[in-house]
Each structure stands twice: as structure tokens, then as C-alpha cells.
Amino acid sequence: MSLLPVYEVIEPVLSALKNSQQVLLHAPAGAGKSTGLPLELLKKTDFSGRIIMLEPRRIAARSVANRLAAQLNENIGQTVGYRMRSETKVNAATRLEVVTEGILTRMLQQDPMLEGVSLVILDEFHERSLQADLALALLLDVQAGLRDDLRILIMSATLDNQRLSSLLPDAPVIISEGCSFPVTRNYHPLPAHQPFEQNVAITVLRLLQQQQGSLLLFLPGIGEIQRVLALLHGKVVEDTDLCPLYGALSLAEQQKAIEPSPLGRRKVVLATNIAETSLTIEGIRLVIDSGLERTARFEPKTGLTRLITQRISQASMTQRAGRAGRLEVGICWHLFSQEQAERAAEHSEPEILNADLSSLWLSLLQWGCHDISQLHWLDRPPVAALAVAKSLLLQLGAVNHNGQLTSRGRKMAESGSAPRLAAMLCAGSEQGADTLATAAMLTAILEEPPRDGQSDITYWVEQRQAQWLRRAQQLVRNIGGYFGEPACGAVAMLLAQGFPDRIAKNRDKHGRFQLANGLGAMIDDKEKLSDESWLVAPSLLQSSKNPDARILLACSLDIEQLAQQQPELFSEQSIVEWDNNKGTLRAWKRLQCGNLTVKARLLAKPSDEQLQQALLNWLRSEGLHELNWSSAAVQLRTRIQCAAQWLPEMQWPEVDNDSLMASLELWLIPSLIGVRDLKELKQIDLLPALESLLDWQQRQCLDNELPIYYTVPTGSRIAIRYFDDKSPVLSVRMQEMYGQQQSPSLAKGRVILVLELLSPAQRPLQITQDLAAFWQGSYREVQKEMKGRYPKHLWPDDPANTPPTRRVKKYS
């Protein structure tokens, strides 16, 4: 361990920590930043408090903590311990705690002073997980307001130094060399005519035949790992072990992949990007990189998270290749072309830009922060995703209409679970020990869902598998409750508490459903749930290939019983709508669950208000083009839009399609008095309706600066034609413009009128915005031609100084 490169920067790190609140350490793979530096800091600093080291993944946290304890010849939980969601091994003497991200956030919320902690290390920060970004923002807030003696050490193999330095301008940057042997990197694009997994398996077998040593294969997800494993079984030689590695595996299976192979054997580790950093996988000198990763992308429009498979960044390619050179000279085969590698993004996108932010916003409210600008962020949370998060928390009862935490919201935040799951736990705790136990089992199952098999979640509750039972009991302890007897009868009610927008109504009895949020969902029609009238579906998978989300886990729902138990999820609405088939308006009273109709009853004659609302609803579905847009109404609308562009110093109403549609009640309702059907609706004169959007001052300005008519030198009032994408046009006979020396202008002289000068037969002779230049220039050609064609009309030599006329020569 003393040969690790990080030991060469121990003194600079110690000095920086004495003098600076934040320190940045760039240490490539193999430098020893995770397994060497923390113990040196324990030995050589005079910190009175503990060191907390954040690891982004549970498997890495456990592995790093065990290696640190082994170097001290101690069991885990003594000087070195760890805390993670399902397991804690620390005692009163523990001085170095390795924690996962959610745990650090919870520690900060419970004790913002972080009493007894001197240093927080953020390891593998380049992964830029949502919780790491949140933890840094909270820690900086603690340093600024509570603990100027608290130190933060940010460590990464591929630090984005420029951006971090702009956020932390006073933080010294220390660079350590890596500890790796040369790696030969080759590019082997896969042929397109064979399935991906088959190509990968063939490549693995070829490299194993050519080279000695163990092999690490990077694949995008669990499905690909399982399919490649199946293809390799029976084809690798007997001395080779096949070891999958991903987060959902048991500890024993993960350890088998990480630990050295027995003497005389080698292994093939099939891993997701979990193996890029943090973990040291013993014995690897061969790497095959598929170049792909599976990542979650939250869609604010649907409120669902979609899993996408994408090309990894150049930084990840370097990390993956580096795994082959930890112990000796290595080889990496990239299963894509060098050109593809060069076109890849330099770094992966931070999770905060593509994640569901409901947990983050709940944490911020718990922190006392109601405005994200109050904290310092490497990347600010996106506005659209924050708006969806706020809406969901309101629906779950975590916040009131003012956006403040409710008592339930505080309990949800303190539970440490995701908001939807926390809402179930709070509902369960209000109903007694048995219902709480059921809520905890549901939470455990949804945190670590089954990979295949039954889609009916009640089946899995009944199974009571050991890992879910342990987690459920821990969840109940966390909120100070008692673990009773899980009861499947409470499942639907609890799921509706956490997933009210995912209550689903059957559309065809063949597995197609509509969700309360308006989205479509589907389940295999062979599943028994496909025939249920109502479901609640907490686990959905959105695919880019199908607009309907796939239902992974759900349970049947008695909608009438739910309406009695949870009336707050339902609303009664009186709706009047146009029946296209019958050509009449019909009024209904409906019991709604979100966008879903539970019951509907036909009403008698609707009121005027209901009738007007029905007409507006019809317009919203059909579009504004269904109205009577006279040329005068179109010109007024265009003039207002031009005024907003040319006279921005004044406030003007927005009259684009979206704005008019959003404000129908404001400008159209007064015109609907007495309108009883669609025929009358389509005969409404829109000109006065649009004029109502203007106040007196705006009307005066519009009439003066963007008039409907322009008075030409003869005294004729000629209409100006306005356009939304080009200058306004005045079409006028040339003789009526004699004596006008300059082109007229509008909008306080900012816009020059386009003159379409016409012949006596009203045909265009010239289009110009510079009348003076026309009179002095190309007019001569027009004069020569027109004198012969229209000899009775006046074609003077000096039109700019000739009196205008509407008549022929004999009357001039």
C-alpha cells in the first residue's frame, strides 16, 4: 500500500485541509485515493471528530470499508465502519464511516451541525449522482452558516476541474498520478447481421483463447448480462468461472465477482457500469467494453422515468479500459469504432439534469430552503422537473397549496424513503401495525423489485422473502412503529396513497389501461390482471417504441371502496359537451379520479355558464380556426402582434394561438351570451372580442401608430395590409402618390411602409420601401413604357413635385 501514488500527495492534502474549507483531489484509477488516503488522514490529522466518506454505490461502500478495516487488522465496525440503507456497522469508537449518498443527506437533515464530524470526503464525485450534488450543496450551506471549521475533500478520477473551481474558487486543486500499467486499446466494431449478445459472446471466447488472465466485460444492463451468461455457459473452458456483477445481486454473489479467483482458475466478470470505478476486481487484465450503458431519464411531461441505452462518454471509456491495467500490462477491446469513440461526449450528463426531483425538493423543504437559488449548485435543478416535483408533493399531501411542508410532509421527509413510498408508510402508520407492516413490505418490494414473474404485487407481499422482510422491519423501526402482520387487503389502498396518478381504468379487457394522469399503460393480455376493471400500477416502464407504458407491478382495485375510503382522490364535475353524433349539447355529472370517469349521470337542461364552458371546451379540442376569422379580425390580431414587436416600450396583450386559447374566458365569454349551438358560435364577430383585450391607451396608440388606413396625397384612405412575418404593404395607384417625396413610415417612424405602386389597371408596376430613390431612378423606365400604354394618364418628368391625381389628363 505504501507504493500507491496517492502517498506522494499526502502532505499537500494535509496542508490544504488545514488552510482551506474545500479541497479538490484529482486521482486517477489505482492511485489509492479510496483505500489509502483515508487511513493516512486518520493517522496524520489532528481532527477531533470523525471522518465521513461518501461512496455513491452500496457495493463500493461495503468493499472499500472492508479493505480499510483489513489494513488495520480489524473487523469492520471498529475504527472503520459503514452505513447504508439496509445495513449499519459502526460503534462508539468508529472514526471513519463509509456511507452511501442517501445516508449522508439524512445525517445532515438530522443534525445540520454535523456534531462530531471534522471532514466529509466525497469520493468518485465525477459520477455526479443526484444525491452527491445535493450533499455538496447542503455541506456548502453548513460551512457558510454553521461550521466554518468543517472540511470537505472532493475526490474523483476525472474531476471537471474548471467547473468545480468556478463553484469553489478558493479550493486548492491537488493532482495525484495513477497507478496502472500500460493498456493496449483496440477497436472491434460488431457486425450488424448478428444479435448483439451473440456477437459479444463470440468476442469474449476469442479474447479468452488468445490471452491469459481474467476478463471484465461491460454490458449495459442485467438483461444483457443474463443473455450473454446463457450463451457462454458450456462454451468457456472448465477452469473459467462466470461471475455476474450488478447492484441487485446478493452480497455473496458480488463478493465472488470481486475477490481473486482460486489458484489455477480465472474468471469472466459480466458487469454494468457499477465496475467502472471504486471497486477493485482482483486479477483482471482483459477488458471488453460494449461502449453502452443504461441510464434513467425522467420525462416531466409524463411524470415517468424511462430507461434508455446510450453510448458512454469518453471519460467512461478511459475508466473501463483502465481496469485492465491495475495489476499488470493489460488489453482492452472496445466493441465500436475509433471514430465513434472520438464523437462521444467528453463527460456523462449529471443525474440532476435528467432525474425525478421530488426527493430532492422534499429534502430542500426539510432543510428550510424554498428557493433553489439559496444554495450553490454545480448544475441547477431544471425548472420543468422541479414544477412536476412540487405538483406531486402537493398531490401526496406533503405540502399545502402555499408550498409549505405539512405534518405528513415532515414525517415523509424524516422517513428517508422516496416521497411516494414515504406517503404509503405514513398512511400505514396512521392505520395501525398491520397496515404499517403492509406498507413497509410494499416499500421494500418497490425499492428492490423482482426481475421477472408475477406482475401482481400482492403475490410478492404474500411471499415474504427474507430480504424484503428485513428491509420492511427496518423501515418500521425508522419511523418508530411496530411491525404487525402484513395484510393483502390493504395493498390497493396504500398504493393509491403513494401513486394516485397511476390508478388505471381498463380500456378494452385486453391489457390496455388509461391512467389517472391521462397516459396509456398496458400489460400482457395473458396476465390475470389484464381483465381487471381497475388497477393501481406503481411500477411502470416507459419505452421509446410504444406510447403506452408497460405495467411491471400492479394490483386490482375496488374503485367504489376507494372512493369511500379516500374521497380526497375524487372530484364531482358537471360537464357539458358537444355530442358530434347527435349534433347537440349534453350535460353530465361525473365522478372523476384524475382524468378517469368513475360514474356519469345525464343531467337536464344545462345553465348558461355550463353551456358557455362546453363551447370553450369544444374550441380547446378543435382549435381556434373553427371561429369566424374575418379579415378585419385577422388584421387586428396581426397589428397587435406587430405592435408588441415594434413598440416594446408598451405592454401589449399576447394574441398567439396558445395565449388566446389559455385566455378564452377573458376575451370570448362576453360574446357567447345567447349562443346556444355551434352554428351560432361560428358566426360570432371576433373583432369586438379581440378589441376587448386592449385598454384605451393601447387602442389610441394602435390607431395612431399602426393605423388601418393611410391617407395618400390625393386624400384617399387606403387600407394597409399587415403581416406577421414581413413589413406592412400599401397598394396604391402611382398617380395618387405624386408629390410624396419619401416613403411613409409607421410605429413612430421605426417601420417603413412597403409601397406597391399600381398601374391605372390596378396591376403592380413597382414595389419599393424607398420612394425617393424610385422617383429618381427606375421611374424613368416605368414612365417610358406607361406613356405608350396609358397615354390619357399623367406621367410627369418630376413626379416628386407634381400634384397627385385620381383622374386622367383632361380632368387633372
Side-chain angles (χ1 to χ4, degrees), residues 384-515:
L386 272 178
V388 173
K390 294 174 183 179
S391 176
L392 176 63
L393 293 180
L394 178 63
Q395 197 173 15
L396 296 178
V399 298
N400 59 26
H401 287 280
N402 295 322
Q404 298 170 321
L405 276 182
T406 60
S407 57
R408 171 178 275 202
R410 282 188 287 275
K411 290 178 185 175
M412 287 168 60
E414 289 163 3
S415 75
S417 295
R420 290 181 183 273
L421 306 180
M424 288 197 309
L425 289 169
C426 289
S429 68
E430 294 162 5
Q431 298 292 322
D434 291 351
T435 311
L436 176 57
T438 310
M441 282 294 291
L442 287 169
T443 298
I445 291 167
L446 291 169
E447 285 178 345
E448 299 285 351
R451 294 289 165 185
D452 49 35
Q454 277 274 0
S455 60
D456 190 342
I457 198 169
T458 56
Y459 167 82
W460 298 106
V461 173
E462 291 169 344
Q463 295 303 300
R464 302 197 188 184
Q465 292 186 12
Q467 76 274 19
W468 291 329
L469 195 56
R470 282 195 302 272
R471 174 59 177 157
Q473 290 166 343
Q474 182 192 35
L475 287 165
V476 170
R477 287 196 299 272
N478 287 348
I479 63 173
Y482 297 96
F483 194 84
E485 187 70 19
C488 289
V491 167
M493 180 274 290
L494 290 166
L495 290 176
Q497 285 281 339
F499 301 87
D501 52 331
R502 298 187 190 172
I503 293 171
K505 182 179 181 181
N506 205 319
R507 290 190 284 182
D508 61 3
K509 296 295 183 181
H510 294 291
R512 295 177 69 245
F513 288 81
Q514 184 181 3
L515 302 176

Side-chain angles (χ1 to χ4, degrees), residues 23 83 181 310 557 665 679 756:
V23 178
R83 295 177 193 259
F181 293 86
Q310 64 183 15
L557 177 67
E665 283 83 358
K679 182 179 178 181
E756 187 178 56

